[in-house]
Amino acid sequence: MLHGEIKDRIAVATEYNSGIGSIHCSESKLQQALLNILLNAVQAIGSEGRITIKTTGDSKWIKVTITDTGCGINSENLKRITDPFFTTKDPGKGIGLGLSITQTIIADHRGNLKIQSEEGKGTTVTVSLPSKTKGNES
């Protein structure tokens, strides 16, 4: 879906770990959440950059980490980045609902959303979701 946005300007690296388990989820909602994160990463990268997508897991959590080499977010804006209608984008480029919706979707799946960023250096977003293991299958 993002191929047109990525074109030849962004390298995408993947590090998918097999055998990390599975999760109970609404596949379409989780796809929307990850797409929102990826779209923000693409839009944060100027002319050229890199996005790395990594999966890890253990008996309790499955994690998807998306790191970009984009412009980053200053610490003041980082505090508000998941607030509804908050955006750092120019007018007409976003309405500030992507990460708010993403946070709600992840919370509805009993997960966590962690965003780390440094202005001028990029952003790392980690989605942690409970692993579907014996005793954790509700």
Side-chain angles (χ1 to χ4, degrees):
M1 289 186 78
L2 293 175
H3 181 71
E5 294 279 335
I6 293 172
K7 300 178 185 161
D8 294 327
R9 68 183 187 90
I10 300 174
V12 178
T14 57
E15 299 175 29
Y16 300 140
N17 294 323
S18 61
I20 59 172
S22 60
I23 58 173
H24 284 291
C25 71
S26 164
E27 188 175 332
S28 63
K29 286 184 179 185
L30 200 52
Q31 284 176 344
Q32 179 184 2
L34 295 174
L35 184 62
N36 288 344
I37 295 166
L38 287 167
L39 183 58
N40 281 346
V42 168
Q43 292 174 342
I45 295 173
S47 58
E48 292 183 349
R50 179 180 187 89
I51 296 173
T52 303
I53 306 166
K54 181 177 182 179
T55 60
T56 57
D58 58 30
S59 62
K60 294 185 182 195
W61 297 98
I62 305 293
K63 295 182 181 185
V64 179
T65 304
I66 299 171
T67 302
D68 69 63
T69 59
C71 60
I73 307 161
N74 68 42
S75 59
E76 193 60 36
N77 286 339
L78 193 58
K79 296 173 188 174
R80 301 182 55 210
I81 204 71
T82 58
D83 291 353
F85 302 106
F86 177 80
T87 183
T88 60
K89 297 174 185 167
D90 293 332
K93 301 279 184 178
I95 59 172
L97 288 175
L99 288 177
S100 175
I101 290 168
T102 297
Q103 184 176 44
T104 298
I105 291 169
I106 301 307
D108 287 349
H109 285 82
R110 297 180 298 131
N112 302 303
L113 181 68
K114 180 180 178 184
I115 303 170
Q116 298 172 293
S117 190
E118 188 174 340
E119 195 168 14
K121 296 196 176 180
T123 301
T124 297
V125 179
T126 303
V127 175
S128 301
L129 298 163
S131 178
K132 183 174 80 172
T133 60
K134 193 167 184 89
N136 193 20
E137 296 182 10
S138 59

